[in-house]
Amino acid sequence: FNTAICWLKQKGITTGYNQFTFGYGRTVLREEMAAFLHRLAESPPVWGDPATCHTFRDVPPGSDFNTAICWLK
């Protein structure tokens, strides 16, 4: 999967983890997938305030994924 992972990184779709790791073998969380899709779509704007406009109780208000999640909604 090296070629595909490098393409994702080059396009800015994924950023990886600390220490230049990718998290091989780790399950992709749904909030991470939301971020991947938002970046793949070239990070379009979100209507409203991402900090407060969604209704997902399991996403904390200060989450780094709020913008992507609101965009998907």
Side-chain angles (χ1 to χ4, degrees):
F1 302 105
N2 188 54
T3 301
I5 292 168
C6 288
W7 180 85
L8 289 168
K9 173 71 173 153
Q10 178 186 10
K11 297 292 185 180
I13 297 168
T14 188
T15 58
Y17 295 96
N18 296 333
Q19 305 295 321
F20 302 102
T21 62
F22 185 71
Y24 179 79
R26 189 180 156 278
T27 301
V28 175
L29 302 175
R30 60 190 179 143
E31 60 263 28
E32 294 167 334
M33 184 54 71
F36 293 159
L37 293 172
H38 186 243
R39 293 175 192 150
L40 178 65
E42 299 181 358
S43 301
V46 175
W47 295 100
D49 181 2
T52 61
C53 64
H54 66 74
T55 57
F56 300 108
R57 292 178 286 173
D58 60 339
V59 180
S63 171
D64 291 338
F65 298 101
N66 275 334
T67 298
I69 290 168
C70 289
W71 172 75
L72 282 173
K73 184 180 176 192

